[in-house]
Amino acid sequence: MNNQVQEGPEGLLTWYHTIPPYTRGYFTLSLSLTLLTTLDVISPFSLYYNYNLIMKGQVWRLLTCFCYFGTFSIDFLFHQYFLVRYSRLLEQGEFVSKPSSFLLFLLFGAACMLAIAPWLHLNFLGSSFTFMMLYVWGRRNPHTRMQLFGVAEFGAPYLPIVMLGMSVLLGNQAVVDVLGIVAGHGWYFGRGGYPE
């Protein structure tokens, strides 16, 4: 098998097709929504989570509130990178031969976040969803060592905390990311991930 990286559109397309199906679908939808809002084809106001509007028939908001990460920016790129990387690692690692379990994981996280979001006045939950994946991956890989800009080294279970600090430095609300950590914590410990 040739492990060389292809350049150009063919390399990008090859990379895209190597992403597992759930992760690829999520990435595609989030990228598409950002592109469509940037081009003013749709408004972010038609994507955010609003219980009252969902009850009036706008059920797409149950999905789009997880897929919109804002306009193209450094924050958007970070979220897309972490979304693809850690969702992919989970889908190809812990859930490799269990796609229905991965779907259950995503639905559990979404249900937790949708239940709590109204009390926290949160409208977009994409960052929370990404942090849930970061948390579960970090907990499932406790001996993996990570580095922050090649300066600070830490264990994978601390990745969500480090990324939370980075997110706050980029001007995001901590509560959004903490919600994802809480949902990931619920999944991890609910599935028997108790401390040794």
Side-chain angles (χ1 to χ4, degrees):
M1 183 166 174
N2 186 354
N3 289 330
Q4 293 179 334
V5 177
Q6 295 179 344
E7 293 183 13
E10 297 84 18
L12 191 59
L13 195 57
T14 301
W15 168 81
Y16 177 77
H17 286 294
T18 64
I19 302 173
Y22 288 118
T23 303
R24 184 173 55 235
Y26 187 31
F27 172 65
T28 303
L29 188 54
S30 66
L31 192 61
S32 299
L33 288 176
T34 299
L35 182 62
L36 290 172
T37 56
T38 300
L39 297 173
D40 287 329
V41 174
I42 58 175
S43 168
F45 292 112
S46 65
L47 305 175
Y48 73 95
Y49 178 61
N50 182 310
Y51 179 79
N52 293 328
L53 293 174
I54 291 167
M55 290 295 111
K56 292 180 181 176
Q58 296 182 15
V59 293
W60 65 83
R61 292 173 184 274
L62 291 170
L63 178 63
T64 58
C65 69
F66 290 102
C67 300
Y68 182 67
F69 289 86
T71 58
F72 287 109
S73 64
I74 190 73
D75 187 51
F76 172 80
L77 293 175
F78 274 129
H79 278 98
Q80 292 305 298
Y81 171 77
F82 287 111
L83 176 151
V84 172
R85 176 161 173 78
Y86 293 100
S87 179
R88 175 186 208 151
L89 288 171
L90 285 171
E91 195 171 352
Q92 291 178 330
E94 179 181 349
F95 298 102
V96 68
S97 60
K98 303 177 275 186
S100 59
S101 293
F102 188 67
L103 180 59
L104 182 63
F105 163 65
L106 297 177
L107 292 174
F108 171 84
C112 288
M113 292 175 212
L114 290 171
I116 297 170
W119 283 278
L120 299 175
H121 306 288
L122 299 177
N123 297 321
F124 293 104
L125 302 169
S127 182
S128 301
F129 217 55
T130 303
F131 268 78
M132 177 186 71
M133 293 182 211
L134 281 171
Y135 181 89
V136 172
W137 179 85
R139 286 296 188 164
R140 292 286 185 207
N141 297 279
H143 304 295
T144 302
R145 302 300 297 165
M146 311 289 292
Q147 285 193 352
L148 180 65
F149 303 119
V151 177
E153 188 172 304
F154 55 92
Y158 298 103
L159 179 62
I161 304 303
V162 171
M163 295 313 302
L164 175 63
M166 294 293 295
S167 183
V168 169
L169 286 175
L170 287 172
N172 297 315
Q173 294 179 323
V175 69
V176 176
D177 301 333
V178 170
L179 177 59
I181 292 171
V182 168
H185 186 77
W187 173 266
Y188 179 73
F189 286 102
R191 301 280 296 170
Y194 304 107
E196 297 175 11

